[in-house]
Amino acid sequence: MRVVMFYHSLISDWNHGNAHFLRGIVRELRARSHEVRVLEPRDGWSRLQLIRDQGPGALEALRVAQPDLTSTLYGPGVPDLDRLLDDADLVLVHEWNAPALVRAIGAHRRRAGGYRLFFHDTHHRSVSAPAEMAAYDLSQYDGVLAFGEVVRQRYLDESWADGVWTWHEAADARLFRPHPEISAEGDVVWIGNWGDDERSSELEEYLIGPIERLGLRSRVYGVRYPDEARARLASAGVEYAGWLPNHRVPDAFARFAATVHVPRRPYVKALPGVPTIRVFEALACGIPLVSAPWDDAEHLFTPGTDFLVARSGAGMREALTDLLQDRGAAGAMAARGLDTIRRRHTCAHRVDELMTILASLQTVPTSAASRRSA
Protein backbone atom coordinates (compact mmCIF):
# COMPACT_ATOMS: atom_id res chain seq x y z
CA MET A 1 0.00 0.00 0.00
CA ARG A 2 1.21 3.50 -0.82
CA VAL A 3 0.64 5.92 2.06
CA VAL A 4 1.06 9.70 1.96
CA MET A 5 1.10 11.66 5.22
CA PHE A 6 0.84 15.41 5.59
CA TYR A 7 2.50 16.24 8.91
CA HIS A 8 3.37 19.55 10.50
CA SER A 9 6.81 18.07 11.01
CA LEU A 10 8.36 14.63 11.12
CA ILE A 11 11.93 15.72 11.78
CA SER A 12 11.33 18.36 14.49
CA ASP A 13 9.81 17.60 17.88
CA TRP A 14 10.36 21.09 19.35
CA ASN A 15 7.12 21.75 21.27
CA HIS A 16 5.58 19.10 19.02
CA GLY A 17 4.27 16.42 21.34
CA ASN A 18 2.61 14.49 18.54
CA ALA A 19 5.96 13.76 16.88
CA HIS A 20 6.41 10.57 18.94
CA PHE A 21 3.21 8.91 17.73
CA LEU A 22 3.43 10.18 14.16
CA ARG A 23 6.98 8.87 13.85
CA GLY A 24 5.97 5.56 15.38
CA ILE A 25 3.18 5.06 12.85
CA VAL A 26 5.61 5.78 10.00
CA ARG A 27 8.06 3.23 11.39
CA GLU A 28 5.38 0.59 11.87
CA LEU A 29 3.91 1.02 8.39
CA ARG A 30 7.35 0.81 6.80
CA ALA A 31 8.17 -2.27 8.88
CA ARG A 32 5.13 -3.92 7.27
CA SER A 33 6.51 -3.12 3.81
CA HIS A 34 4.13 -0.28 3.05
CA GLU A 35 5.58 2.58 1.02
CA VAL A 36 5.28 5.72 3.13
CA ARG A 37 5.88 9.29 1.96
CA VAL A 38 5.77 12.13 4.51
CA LEU A 39 5.24 15.76 3.46
CA GLU A 40 5.95 18.68 5.78
CA PRO A 41 5.96 22.46 5.16
CA ARG A 42 9.33 24.10 4.79
CA ASP A 43 8.15 26.94 7.05
CA GLY A 44 6.56 24.70 9.69
CA TRP A 45 6.47 26.35 13.11
CA SER A 46 8.16 23.54 15.04
CA ARG A 47 10.94 23.23 12.48
CA LEU A 48 11.64 26.98 12.46
CA GLN A 49 11.52 27.22 16.25
CA LEU A 50 13.99 24.35 16.57
CA ILE A 51 16.41 26.14 14.27
CA ARG A 52 15.94 29.39 16.18
CA ASP A 53 16.43 27.73 19.56
CA GLN A 54 19.12 25.16 18.78
CA GLY A 55 20.64 26.26 15.49
CA PRO A 56 20.44 24.58 12.05
CA GLY A 57 22.74 21.81 13.20
CA ALA A 58 19.95 20.41 15.36
CA LEU A 59 18.02 19.29 12.27
CA GLU A 60 21.01 17.43 10.89
CA ALA A 61 21.66 15.85 14.29
CA LEU A 62 18.08 14.55 14.35
CA ARG A 63 18.45 13.11 10.85
CA VAL A 64 21.68 11.35 11.80
CA ALA A 65 20.16 9.95 14.99
CA GLN A 66 17.04 8.67 13.18
CA PRO A 67 18.03 7.83 9.61
CA ASP A 68 14.87 5.76 9.14
CA LEU A 69 12.73 8.91 9.33
CA THR A 70 12.65 10.78 6.04
CA SER A 71 10.32 13.47 4.79
CA THR A 72 9.94 15.86 1.87
CA LEU A 73 9.70 19.61 2.38
CA TYR A 74 7.27 21.72 0.37
CA GLY A 75 6.08 25.27 0.22
CA PRO A 76 5.29 27.93 0.72
CA GLY A 77 1.66 27.32 -0.16
CA VAL A 78 -0.09 24.17 -1.31
CA PRO A 79 2.19 21.60 -3.00
CA ASP A 80 1.57 19.87 -6.34
CA LEU A 81 -1.10 17.43 -5.20
CA ASP A 82 -1.59 15.88 -8.64
CA ARG A 83 2.01 14.72 -8.56
CA LEU A 84 2.20 13.79 -4.89
CA LEU A 85 -1.07 11.87 -4.72
CA ASP A 86 -1.10 10.27 -8.17
CA ASP A 87 -0.37 6.76 -6.87
CA ALA A 88 -1.63 7.03 -3.28
CA ASP A 89 -3.81 4.39 -1.64
CA LEU A 90 -4.14 6.08 1.76
CA VAL A 91 -3.67 9.73 2.75
CA LEU A 92 -3.52 10.94 6.36
CA VAL A 93 -3.70 14.68 7.07
CA HIS A 94 -2.74 15.75 10.58
CA GLU A 95 -4.77 18.51 12.24
CA TRP A 96 -1.71 20.75 12.64
CA ASN A 97 -2.02 21.79 8.98
CA ALA A 98 -3.47 24.93 7.44
CA PRO A 99 -7.19 24.86 6.56
CA ALA A 100 -6.29 25.80 2.97
CA LEU A 101 -4.19 22.66 2.58
CA VAL A 102 -6.82 20.47 4.21
CA ARG A 103 -9.43 21.88 1.84
CA ALA A 104 -7.17 21.50 -1.23
CA ILE A 105 -6.51 17.84 -0.46
CA GLY A 106 -10.26 17.25 -0.11
CA ALA A 107 -10.85 18.95 -3.45
CA HIS A 108 -8.20 16.74 -5.05
CA ARG A 109 -9.86 13.66 -3.60
CA ARG A 110 -13.22 14.75 -5.08
CA ARG A 111 -11.65 15.36 -8.47
CA ALA A 112 -9.20 12.46 -8.73
CA GLY A 113 -10.51 9.84 -6.31
CA GLY A 114 -8.67 6.59 -5.90
CA TYR A 115 -7.49 6.78 -2.30
CA ARG A 116 -8.79 6.75 1.23
CA LEU A 117 -8.48 10.10 3.02
CA PHE A 118 -8.52 10.74 6.76
CA PHE A 119 -8.11 13.78 8.98
CA HIS A 120 -6.11 12.98 12.14
CA ASP A 121 -6.93 15.03 15.26
CA THR A 122 -4.56 14.82 18.24
CA HIS A 123 -5.30 18.10 20.03
CA HIS A 124 -7.80 19.65 22.42
CA ARG A 125 -8.95 22.38 20.02
CA SER A 126 -12.23 20.57 19.32
CA VAL A 127 -13.31 21.66 22.81
CA SER A 128 -11.00 24.61 23.52
CA ALA A 129 -11.16 26.35 20.11
CA PRO A 130 -14.17 24.95 18.23
CA ALA A 131 -14.27 27.83 15.74
CA GLU A 132 -10.81 26.87 14.52
CA MET A 133 -11.87 23.27 13.95
CA ALA A 134 -15.09 24.30 12.23
CA ALA A 135 -12.94 26.11 9.65
CA TYR A 136 -11.65 22.78 8.32
CA ASP A 137 -13.58 21.51 5.30
CA LEU A 138 -13.73 17.74 5.74
CA SER A 139 -16.66 17.13 3.39
CA GLN A 140 -14.55 15.08 0.96
CA TYR A 141 -12.77 13.04 3.64
CA ASP A 142 -13.66 9.46 4.47
CA GLY A 143 -13.56 10.47 8.09
CA VAL A 144 -11.62 11.55 11.13
CA LEU A 145 -9.22 9.63 13.35
CA ALA A 146 -9.73 11.23 16.78
CA PHE A 147 -7.39 10.55 19.69
CA GLY A 148 -10.18 10.08 22.20
CA GLU A 149 -13.82 9.11 22.41
CA VAL A 150 -14.81 12.57 23.68
CA VAL A 151 -13.16 14.12 20.63
CA ARG A 152 -14.91 11.64 18.34
CA GLN A 153 -18.25 12.55 19.86
CA ARG A 154 -17.49 16.25 19.48
CA TYR A 155 -17.07 15.86 15.71
CA LEU A 156 -20.40 14.04 15.48
CA ASP A 157 -22.24 16.52 17.71
CA GLU A 158 -20.96 19.48 15.67
CA SER A 159 -21.51 17.69 12.32
CA TRP A 160 -17.91 18.38 11.33
CA ALA A 161 -17.65 14.88 9.85
CA ASP A 162 -19.81 11.80 9.35
CA GLY A 163 -17.29 9.02 9.83
CA VAL A 164 -15.25 9.40 13.02
CA TRP A 165 -13.17 6.73 14.72
CA THR A 166 -11.37 6.79 18.05
CA TRP A 167 -7.66 6.27 17.43
CA HIS A 168 -5.64 6.83 20.58
CA GLU A 169 -1.98 7.68 20.59
CA ALA A 170 0.43 4.95 21.68
CA ALA A 171 4.08 4.19 22.35
CA ASP A 172 6.67 3.56 19.68
CA ALA A 173 7.92 0.37 21.30
CA ARG A 174 10.82 0.09 18.89
CA LEU A 175 12.37 3.15 20.53
CA PHE A 176 10.66 3.54 23.89
CA ARG A 177 11.76 0.68 26.10
CA PRO A 178 13.55 0.18 29.45
CA HIS A 179 17.33 0.60 29.61
CA PRO A 180 18.45 -1.31 32.71
CA GLU A 181 22.06 -0.97 31.60
CA ILE A 182 21.94 2.77 32.40
CA SER A 183 22.63 3.70 36.01
CA ALA A 184 20.23 6.00 37.85
CA GLU A 185 21.62 9.37 38.91
CA GLY A 186 18.63 11.14 40.41
CA ASP A 187 15.21 10.85 42.01
CA VAL A 188 12.64 12.54 39.75
CA VAL A 189 12.68 13.62 36.11
CA TRP A 190 9.91 15.55 34.38
CA ILE A 191 9.67 15.99 30.62
CA GLY A 192 7.21 18.53 29.30
CA ASN A 193 6.83 22.02 27.91
CA TRP A 194 5.62 24.95 29.96
CA GLY A 195 3.09 25.94 27.31
CA ASP A 196 0.58 28.77 27.47
CA ASP A 197 -0.19 28.87 31.19
CA GLU A 198 -2.39 25.79 30.81
CA ARG A 199 -0.90 24.10 33.88
CA SER A 200 1.37 26.55 35.71
CA SER A 201 -0.45 26.23 39.03
CA GLU A 202 -0.63 22.44 38.62
CA LEU A 203 3.12 22.26 38.03
CA GLU A 204 3.69 24.16 41.25
CA GLU A 205 1.38 21.90 43.25
CA TYR A 206 2.28 18.50 41.80
CA LEU A 207 5.89 18.89 40.66
CA ILE A 208 7.91 21.85 41.91
CA GLY A 209 6.47 22.09 45.40
CA PRO A 210 6.80 18.38 46.27
CA ILE A 211 10.35 18.21 44.91
CA GLU A 212 11.31 21.26 46.96
CA ARG A 213 9.67 19.99 50.16
CA LEU A 214 11.29 16.56 49.84
CA GLY A 215 14.68 17.85 48.72
CA LEU A 216 14.83 15.47 45.76
CA ARG A 217 17.51 15.32 43.09
CA SER A 218 15.52 16.32 40.03
CA ARG A 219 15.71 17.50 36.46
CA VAL A 220 13.17 19.11 34.12
CA TYR A 221 13.32 19.07 30.32
CA GLY A 222 11.19 21.16 28.00
CA VAL A 223 10.83 24.44 26.15
CA ARG A 224 8.89 27.71 26.36
CA TYR A 225 9.71 28.22 30.04
CA PRO A 226 9.42 31.94 30.89
CA ASP A 227 12.07 33.57 33.05
CA GLU A 228 9.88 33.41 36.15
CA ALA A 229 9.36 29.67 35.70
CA ARG A 230 13.09 29.07 35.38
CA ALA A 231 13.71 31.19 38.46
CA ARG A 232 11.14 29.17 40.41
CA LEU A 233 12.78 25.88 39.36
CA ALA A 234 16.16 27.19 40.46
CA SER A 235 14.82 28.33 43.84
CA ALA A 236 13.34 24.86 44.37
CA GLY A 237 16.64 23.18 43.56
CA VAL A 238 15.39 21.72 40.29
CA GLU A 239 17.84 21.49 37.39
CA TYR A 240 16.37 22.90 34.18
CA ALA A 241 17.94 21.19 31.15
CA GLY A 242 16.00 22.70 28.22
CA TRP A 243 14.96 20.94 25.04
CA LEU A 244 15.39 17.17 24.89
CA PRO A 245 15.06 15.42 21.51
CA ASN A 246 12.24 12.91 21.79
CA HIS A 247 14.42 9.94 20.81
CA ARG A 248 16.59 10.62 23.89
CA VAL A 249 13.67 10.46 26.33
CA PRO A 250 14.17 6.73 27.12
CA ASP A 251 17.76 7.41 28.21
CA ALA A 252 16.61 10.31 30.39
CA PHE A 253 13.98 8.16 32.10
CA ALA A 254 16.55 5.45 32.77
CA ARG A 255 18.67 7.89 34.77
CA PHE A 256 15.97 8.62 37.36
CA ALA A 257 13.96 6.63 39.85
CA ALA A 258 10.52 8.09 39.08
CA THR A 259 8.64 10.56 36.93
CA VAL A 260 5.50 12.68 37.27
CA HIS A 261 2.62 13.32 34.89
CA VAL A 262 0.94 16.75 35.03
CA PRO A 263 -1.72 17.01 32.31
CA ARG A 264 -2.73 20.35 30.88
CA ARG A 265 -5.98 21.81 32.15
CA PRO A 266 -8.02 21.27 28.93
CA TYR A 267 -7.35 17.53 29.10
CA VAL A 268 -8.46 17.28 32.71
CA LYS A 269 -11.56 19.45 32.43
CA ALA A 270 -12.86 18.81 28.92
CA LEU A 271 -11.23 15.65 27.56
CA PRO A 272 -11.78 12.81 30.02
CA GLY A 273 -10.20 9.58 28.84
CA VAL A 274 -7.49 11.25 26.76
CA PRO A 275 -3.99 10.85 28.20
CA THR A 276 -1.10 12.72 26.69
CA ILE A 277 1.76 10.88 25.05
CA ARG A 278 3.84 11.31 28.24
CA VAL A 279 1.89 8.53 29.99
CA PHE A 280 2.59 6.10 27.15
CA GLU A 281 6.25 7.15 27.04
CA ALA A 282 6.87 6.69 30.75
CA LEU A 283 5.15 3.32 31.06
CA ALA A 284 6.84 2.02 27.90
CA CYS A 285 10.22 2.89 29.42
CA GLY A 286 9.48 1.09 32.68
CA ILE A 287 9.84 4.10 34.98
CA PRO A 288 7.50 4.38 37.99
CA LEU A 289 4.95 7.13 37.36
CA VAL A 290 2.86 9.30 39.67
CA SER A 291 0.14 11.29 37.94
CA ALA A 292 -1.82 14.35 38.91
CA PRO A 293 -5.56 13.61 38.61
CA TRP A 294 -7.12 12.81 35.24
CA ASP A 295 -10.14 10.67 34.40
CA ASP A 296 -9.23 7.47 32.56
CA ALA A 297 -12.80 7.29 31.29
CA GLU A 298 -11.95 4.86 28.49
CA HIS A 299 -10.12 2.45 30.78
CA LEU A 300 -6.88 2.49 28.83
CA PHE A 301 -4.92 1.79 32.00
CA THR A 302 -5.50 0.69 35.57
CA PRO A 303 -4.72 3.68 37.82
CA GLY A 304 -3.25 2.51 41.10
CA THR A 305 -1.82 -0.55 39.38
CA ASP A 306 -0.04 0.74 36.27
CA PHE A 307 0.78 4.05 37.96
CA LEU A 308 -0.12 5.99 41.09
CA VAL A 309 -2.52 8.95 41.20
CA ALA A 310 -1.93 11.86 43.57
CA ARG A 311 -5.02 13.94 44.40
CA SER A 312 -3.09 16.83 45.95
CA GLY A 313 0.39 18.16 46.48
CA ALA A 314 0.54 16.33 49.79
CA GLY A 315 -0.55 13.15 48.02
CA MET A 316 2.25 13.63 45.48
CA ARG A 317 4.82 13.98 48.24
CA GLU A 318 3.54 10.81 49.91
CA ALA A 319 3.51 8.81 46.65
CA LEU A 320 7.01 9.88 45.64
CA THR A 321 8.33 9.08 49.11
CA ASP A 322 6.81 5.59 48.96
CA LEU A 323 8.25 4.88 45.50
CA LEU A 324 11.72 6.11 46.38
CA GLN A 325 11.83 4.19 49.66
CA ASP A 326 10.31 0.92 48.44
CA ARG A 327 12.15 0.13 45.23
CA GLY A 328 10.67 -3.37 45.06
CA ALA A 329 7.10 -2.08 45.00
CA ALA A 330 8.08 0.66 42.55
CA GLY A 331 9.66 -1.88 40.20
CA ALA A 332 6.62 -4.15 40.35
CA MET A 333 4.30 -1.28 39.47
CA ALA A 334 6.54 -0.20 36.61
CA ALA A 335 6.53 -3.77 35.27
CA ARG A 336 2.73 -3.82 35.29
CA GLY A 337 2.56 -0.52 33.42
CA LEU A 338 5.07 -1.77 30.86
CA ASP A 339 3.02 -4.93 30.36
CA THR A 340 -0.11 -2.87 29.72
CA ILE A 341 1.70 -0.90 27.03
CA ARG A 342 3.05 -4.00 25.33
CA ARG A 343 -0.33 -5.75 25.37
CA ARG A 344 -2.53 -2.83 24.30
CA HIS A 345 -0.84 0.46 23.48
CA THR A 346 1.97 0.28 20.94
CA CYS A 347 2.07 1.81 17.49
CA ALA A 348 1.72 -1.74 16.15
CA HIS A 349 -1.66 -1.98 17.88
CA ARG A 350 -2.72 1.33 16.35
CA VAL A 351 -1.72 0.29 12.83
CA ASP A 352 -3.77 -2.88 13.34
CA GLU A 353 -6.71 -0.64 14.27
CA LEU A 354 -6.13 1.52 11.21
CA MET A 355 -6.18 -1.53 8.96
CA THR A 356 -9.46 -2.64 10.56
CA ILE A 357 -10.97 0.78 9.86
CA LEU A 358 -9.84 0.60 6.23
CA ALA A 359 -11.28 -2.90 5.86
CA SER A 360 -14.63 -1.71 7.20
CA LEU A 361 -15.06 0.81 4.38
CA GLN A 362 -16.46 -0.01 0.98
CA THR A 363 -14.08 -0.27 -1.97
CA VAL A 364 -12.94 3.04 -3.42
CA PRO A 365 -14.74 3.50 -6.79
CA THR A 366 -11.50 4.09 -8.70
CA SER A 367 -8.55 2.37 -7.08
CA ALA A 368 -5.00 3.62 -7.06
CA ALA A 369 -3.95 0.32 -8.58
CA SER A 370 -6.25 0.80 -11.57
CA ARG A 371 -4.96 4.33 -12.07
CA ARG A 372 -1.39 3.07 -12.09
CA SER A 373 -2.18 0.40 -14.66
CA ALA A 374 -4.23 2.71 -16.90
Side-chain angles (χ1 to χ4, degrees):
M1 182 169 62
R2 291 187 169 102
V3 184
V4 180
M5 297 177 164
F6 288 85
Y7 284 178
H8 172 74
S9 182
L10 181 72
I11 192 62
S12 174
D13 51 50
W14 198 96
N15 201 62
H16 180 14
N18 304 128
H20 173 148
F21 182 61
L22 301 180
R23 290 168 175 173
I25 294 300
V26 170
R27 286 193 176 101
E28 184 61 32
L29 287 169
R30 287 176 174 168
R32 300 186 188 195
S33 299
H34 298 295
E35 180 183 319
V36 182
R37 183 185 309 150
V38 180
L39 284 303
E40 61 175 276
R42 190 179 305 276
D43 60 353
W45 183 85
S46 179
R47 183 175 182 274
L48 295 182
Q49 291 297 319
L50 175 63
I51 295 172
R52 179 178 301 174
D53 186 40
Q54 300 289 319
L59 286 174
E60 183 57 29
L62 288 174
R63 293 189 184 96
V64 171
Q66 302 177 96
D68 58 327
L69 295 179
T70 56
S71 63
T72 300
L73 299 177
Y74 68 85
V78 176
D80 183 354
L81 298 178
D82 287 334
R83 177 178 59 84
L84 295 172
L85 302 180
D86 177 63
D87 57 355
D89 298 296
L90 170 64
V91 179
L92 299 182
V93 183
H94 190 240
E95 50 85 18
W96 206 357
N97 275 297
L101 176 64
V102 173
R103 182 171 57 252
I105 295 172
H108 181 274
R109 159 64 188 274
R110 182 182 66 247
R111 182 178 73 254
Y115 54 85
R116 286 298 180 195
L117 176 60
F118 293 95
F119 186 71
H120 183 198
D121 191 340
T122 59
H123 200 265
H124 57 64
R125 286 189 298 163
S126 60
V127 295
S128 63
E132 292 182 17
M133 301 311 296
Y136 287 108
D137 180 1
L138 305 178
S139 59
Q140 303 304 316
Y141 284 62
D142 289 297
V144 174
L145 304 174
F147 79 144
E149 175 60 24
V150 65
V151 179
R152 186 189 78 87
Q153 194 60 51
R154 181 71 170 170
Y155 273 83
L156 296 175
D157 291 345
E158 297 293 336
S159 299
W160 291 334
D162 294 326
V164 191
W165 292 266
T166 299
W167 200 45
H168 284 288
E169 293 187 304
D172 180 359
R174 286 183 168 81
L175 180 62
F176 281 74
R177 61 186 187 277
H179 285 281
E181 75 280 3
I182 297 178
S183 299
E185 60 187 45
D187 298 315
V188 174
V189 62
W190 190 74
I191 301 171
N193 304 318
W194 187 265
D196 302 309
D197 199 33
E198 292 178 338
R199 56 181 169 195
S200 54
S201 61
E202 290 86 348
L203 287 173
E204 175 63 36
E205 179 177 3
Y206 291 100
L207 180 71
I208 304 172
I211 287 174
E212 182 179 37
R213 289 282 297 274
L214 296 174
L216 302 179
R217 296 169 297 163
S218 58
R219 184 177 299 153
V220 165
Y221 293 96
V223 300
R224 301 181 73 191
Y225 281 68
D227 291 342
E228 58 270 25
R230 296 191 189 195
R232 176 65 185 112
L233 290 174
S235 70
V238 180
E239 177 189 357
Y240 173 63
W243 174 67
L244 180 71
N246 188 251
H247 69 275
R248 289 174 47 198
V249 167
D251 287 357
F253 279 146
R255 299 181 189 281
F256 288 82
T259 190
V260 171
H261 175 52
V262 185
R264 295 173 186 264
R265 213 166 297 130
Y267 290 96
V268 175
K269 293 187 174 182
L271 294 178
V274 182
T276 70
I277 195 64
R278 302 305 183 189
V279 175
F280 297 105
E281 289 180 346
L283 298 188
C285 290
I287 183 173
L289 169 69
V290 187
S291 178
W294 65 278
D295 182 8
D296 186 9
E298 296 186 55
H299 308 292
L300 300 177
F301 305 102
T302 305
T305 298
D306 294 331
F307 56 86
L308 299 181
V309 179
R311 301 292 175 184
S312 64
M316 179 62 73
R317 295 196 301 272
E318 180 180 351
L320 288 175
T321 299
D322 290 344
L323 289 178
L324 295 173
Q325 291 182 349
D326 191 342
R327 302 305 299 148
M333 184 184 71
R336 291 191 294 269
L338 175 60
D339 180 65
T340 297
I341 291 292
R342 290 176 172 174
R343 286 187 295 104
R344 301 179 58 194
H345 302 307
T346 69
C347 288
H349 291 104
R350 299 302 181 257
V351 170
D352 288 342
E353 294 169 6
L354 179 61
M355 295 305 162
T356 298
I357 292 170
L358 289 172
S360 72
L361 299 175
Q362 296 179 355
T363 304
V364 183
T366 303
S367 70
S370 65
R371 284 186 285 124
R372 288 194 291 270
S373 61

